[in-house]
Amino acid sequence: MRIFVTGANGWIGSASIRELVAGGHDVVGLARSEEAERTVADLGATPLRSDLTDLDGLRAGAADSDGVLHLGYHHDFSQMEEAARIDAAAIETFGDVLADGNRFLAIASGTGGLALGRPSTEDDVADPGGHPRIANSHATLALAERGVKPLVLRFPPTVHGPGDHGFVATLVDVARSQGVSAYVGDGQNRWPAVHRLDAAALVRRAVENPDAATVLHAVAEEGVATRDIAEAIARQLDLPTVSVEPDRAAEHFGWLGGFFSWDVPASGARTQERFGWNPAQATLLEDLDAGHYTG
């Protein structure tokens, strides 16, 4: 297949391109800079110089494809509404191009906020009145009525592995700056997790076997206790581990305080069974203990 990928040089996108190319697919990757073009080419894909705000560029990439893997997003927490608007425009553009063509549109989403205190599943429906990005998932699934095969790929808060600069890397930075590795309350609230390479393997399986209006959970670990995460960071940095009261989470962790307070386990069992996906890479705590975040 010829697959157009946004977020091509990103954390999940770059791993997914390697997986797709290894599977014999012809991949075109969106690249917004010369550096990104080189990265995409090095991954074995053909770079298309454009960005998410260039709807003509998105149309061109989608028109010449058997499907679109939309992993790009403007991750700026200070401009969430604008980022969601850009994402919505991209999804609408892809839908217009792919309509009635029996082609797929796979987008990235998240498992956070679907359920609190119990493992969320693929059947849980996110409230479109929550995060502004959630409505875009609903819009994607609705494209099934227009002859598109929509896939919503829900990733956990932690897609980990060597080179990760996401939430866990931020927790490490906070621990270094505060001189302690902390968790919130009793630290029994849980974060689901998946290794980046396992996530890429699922992406490939999903786009090779698209079905109508499918929601997937790219979850390898249903829930890792945040206290265990904090203790693993403490071991690597040789720091004490402490508890922070919930009302002090934002003061201690900054913008990450609210996220790290959530108890948001998620199940990937149904996705694993349906797609024959068997995560085999290191766990989050194994990556931490290997020093990938603290070396």
Side-chain angles (χ1 to χ4, degrees):
M1 289 190 297
R2 185 174 177 85
I3 301 170
F4 179 47
V5 181
T6 71
N9 65 319
W11 178 239
I12 300 174
S14 56
S16 296
I17 286 181
R18 286 194 185 279
E19 184 76 23
L20 292 169
V21 169
H25 299 291
D26 181 13
V27 179
V28 177
L30 189 71
R32 61 180 179 176
S33 67
E34 290 185 8
E35 181 181 1
E37 284 184 300
R38 289 191 294 270
T39 299
V40 169
D42 288 344
L43 292 168
T46 301
L48 173 65
R49 185 67 177 269
S50 186
D51 63 49
L52 293 178
T53 64
D54 177 12
L55 299 185
D56 288 337
L58 299 185
R59 288 189 190 95
D64 193 30
S65 73
D66 295 302
V68 174
L69 176 59
H70 177 41
L71 300 176
Y73 196 78
H74 288 280
H75 292 283
D76 185 342
F77 289 99
S78 68
Q79 300 182 40
M80 289 196 297
E81 295 287 349
E82 176 65 8
R85 185 197 64 77
I86 292 170
D87 189 49
I91 290 169
E92 181 179 2
T93 299
F94 292 141
D96 289 342
V97 175
L98 299 173
D100 300 321
N102 200 35
R103 295 180 285 176
F104 72 83
L105 171 59
I107 72 161
S109 186
T111 62
L114 292 170
L116 293 176
R118 66 163 177 84
S120 63
T121 74
E122 296 86 345
D123 288 338
D124 281 307
V125 178
D127 179 3
H131 190 286
R133 188 178 186 182
I134 293 173
N136 297 344
S137 296
H138 291 271
T140 300
L141 293 173
L143 290 172
E145 300 175 1
R146 300 179 60 193
V148 179
K149 293 182 176 179
L151 300 164
V152 173
L153 300 157
R154 290 176 179 166
F155 296 98
T158 301
V159 181
H160 58 90
D164 176 19
H165 295 290
F167 287 165
V168 174
T170 301
L171 289 172
V172 171
D173 290 343
V174 170
R176 282 195 171 108
S177 66
Q178 297 281 3
V180 295
S181 182
Y183 52 89
V184 180
D186 63 6
Q188 295 307 301
N189 58 301
R190 297 154 290 176
W191 269 15
V194 66
H195 194 282
R196 174 187 180 225
L197 299 183
D198 282 326
L202 175 61
V203 167
R204 173 181 163 187
R205 288 174 181 265
V207 302
E208 288 178 342
N209 300 280
D211 202 353
T214 300
V215 175
L216 300 87
H217 275 199
V219 175
E221 295 182 87
E222 186 172 286
V224 184
T226 56
R227 179 169 183 164
D228 292 340
I229 296 172
E231 289 176 344
I233 293 171
R235 287 194 295 272
Q236 289 296 311
L237 297 180
D238 194 23
L239 293 174
T241 307
V242 301
S243 170
V244 170
E245 292 300 318
D247 61 0
R248 290 193 57 246
E251 176 187 345
H252 183 89
F253 293 101
W255 62 267
L256 190 54
F259 293 105
F260 202 47
S261 302
W262 285 358
D263 183 33
V264 286
S267 172
R270 189 174 306 170
T271 295
Q272 292 179 31
E273 180 179 0
R274 178 173 182 177
F275 289 91
W277 175 55
N278 299 300
Q281 301 296 325
T283 67
L284 173 59
L285 296 183
E286 287 171 346
D287 265 349
L288 282 165
D289 286 337
H292 294 316
Y293 288 85
T294 51

